[in-house]
Amino acid sequence: MNNALLLKLHRWISLVFAIPLIAIIFTGLILSVEPIIQNRGLPAGMADADRLTGLLQRYDPAAKARGLAINASGQQMRLLGVNAPVIDLATGEAATASDPVGDVLLWARRTHEHLLGHDWLVIASTIAMVVIMGLGVLMGWPRLRNSLSGWHKGAAWFTLPLLLLSPITGLFMVLGLTLQGNPPPAAATLPLADAVRAIAQSHDVAHLAMIANRGGRMMARVYEAGELRAYTFTAQGVTPLPRNWPRLLHEGNWSALIAGSLNVVVSVVLFGLLATGVMLWSRRKLRRRPQSAAKTRDRTAATPA
């Protein structure tokens, strides 16, 4: 397969998937900062086991909530699976104002994962991204020049491992490939209030991100030293789950500051590559049109009347 054909495939796959890729990359850029923001946790003294269980009793007296999610940046808590208001953790009352940062992150996550309900398009675009990168590799080492094309090729090659890691780990998540060992046996599902008390015995709930039933087991996710660790509740107590490396790498939750910053870089480079690729294609098209028009005029002028 020659380079001309590889380049044509590389270019046209990029153009066909340009719009969904822009949406995925842009929302990925927004989500890259989420670990950095949420890792800071709640202010000291704002949350402990007694306060959280008291709020559960107040806003979910029937104990029907499937879980809770804490937004540290907005200092708010949501109860999952029940019709309860968003709770302002600073006052303990129903939140009267929206959290702009949390709302943007929630919108970005839904769009990034579902693209307005078109999950198949997310998967197809992610596969297309891997194919585009693979075609770029097959075209061989670039000639680095101080030009738009040179910068396009140089940026792609120098960041290639990071660029490939993002869509590949995303596909692992879609396919349910966690690379985890066997998780510890789960205990019977705990009432949510009991789970809060259990996690508070060994962890600072100011850094608690969520407690929820996932796959038939009660799980908790807590930020620890920059990493979002997952725990389950067993007969022995709160037990760490094996690390889900594809998710940690993709979301940047293995080290909030370092991984989050790297994901920002990856998103910026991907957006730059897509933009410069479209610009290069547009230049070629615009360059050909005047030449074609000039040839048409020359033929017309040479035709005898």
Side-chain angles (χ1 to χ4, degrees), residues 7-274:
L7 178 59
K8 186 172 290 187
L9 288 171
H10 178 87
R11 183 184 302 150
W12 280 106
I13 294 173
S14 301
L15 291 171
V16 168
F17 287 93
I19 293 177
L21 284 175
I22 287 172
I24 291 171
I25 293 167
F26 178 67
T27 52
L29 175 60
I30 295 173
L31 292 172
S32 297
V33 303
E34 184 176 20
I36 301 172
I37 296 172
Q38 303 296 354
N39 175 58
R40 294 178 297 181
L42 296 167
M46 180 172 286
D48 57 28
D50 291 337
R51 189 155 193 273
L52 292 184
T53 53
L55 292 172
L56 288 174
Q57 179 61 36
R58 177 180 174 184
Y59 290 97
D60 182 33
K64 292 184 177 180
R66 298 195 314 269
L68 61 84
I70 294 177
N71 176 10
S73 65
Q75 300 177 7
Q76 294 180 345
M77 181 171 74
R78 296 176 184 268
L79 301 184
L80 309 177
V82 293
N83 186 20
V86 177
I87 303 166
D88 185 340
L89 291 173
T91 64
E93 303 297 328
T96 56
S98 63
D99 171 28
V101 174
D103 291 344
V104 169
L105 290 173
L106 182 60
W107 168 82
R109 182 166 299 281
R110 288 173 176 170
T111 304
H112 190 78
E113 295 177 354
H114 305 292
L115 272 184
L116 303 177
H118 301 294
D119 293 18
W120 65 270
L121 187 56
V122 177
I123 299 171
S125 300
T126 306
I127 294 172
M129 190 183 297
V130 176
V131 172
I132 291 166
M133 294 178 190
L135 291 170
V137 172
L138 291 175
M139 284 188 284
W141 290 100
R143 295 179 181 178
L144 300 182
R145 297 173 180 172
N146 188 20
S147 63
L148 188 63
S149 177
W151 280 100
H152 178 90
K153 295 173 182 177
W157 273 96
F158 284 116
T159 58
L160 184 62
L162 291 175
L163 299 184
L164 280 171
L165 190 64
S166 182
I168 288 174
T169 52
L171 289 174
F172 271 51
M173 291 169 61
V174 169
L175 297 173
L177 302 176
T178 65
L179 306 184
Q180 293 176 310
N182 294 324
T189 302
L190 290 175
L192 187 55
D194 290 348
V196 170
R197 294 188 188 96
I199 199 73
Q201 291 179 3
S202 54
H203 299 83
D204 183 0
V205 293
H207 293 278
L208 177 65
M210 59 80 74
I211 298 177
N213 195 312
R214 292 287 185 269
R217 69 169 67 237
M218 187 68 81
M219 284 179 52
R221 302 184 83 187
V222 186
Y223 279 100
E224 294 180 337
E227 180 184 350
L228 187 57
R229 289 289 280 125
Y231 291 87
T232 191
F233 302 88
T234 67
Q236 290 72 40
V238 178
T239 305
L241 285 167
R243 287 175 170 86
N244 182 343
W245 279 110
R247 179 175 290 277
L248 286 172
L249 291 169
H250 189 82
E251 295 181 344
N253 280 318
W254 58 271
S255 174
L257 184 58
I258 298 173
S261 301
L262 286 176
N263 278 356
V264 170
V265 171
V266 169
S267 299
V268 171
V269 172
L270 284 173
F271 191 82
L273 289 173
L274 189 59

Side-chain angles (χ1 to χ4, degrees), residues 8 11-12 15 277-293:
K8 186 172 290 187
R11 183 184 302 150
W12 280 106
L15 291 171
V278 172
M279 290 172 65
L280 288 167
W281 174 80
S282 301
R283 281 186 178 182
R284 291 188 185 95
K285 283 292 183 182
L286 292 173
R287 192 181 302 127
R288 287 173 183 170
R289 285 180 182 176
Q291 291 175 353
S292 299

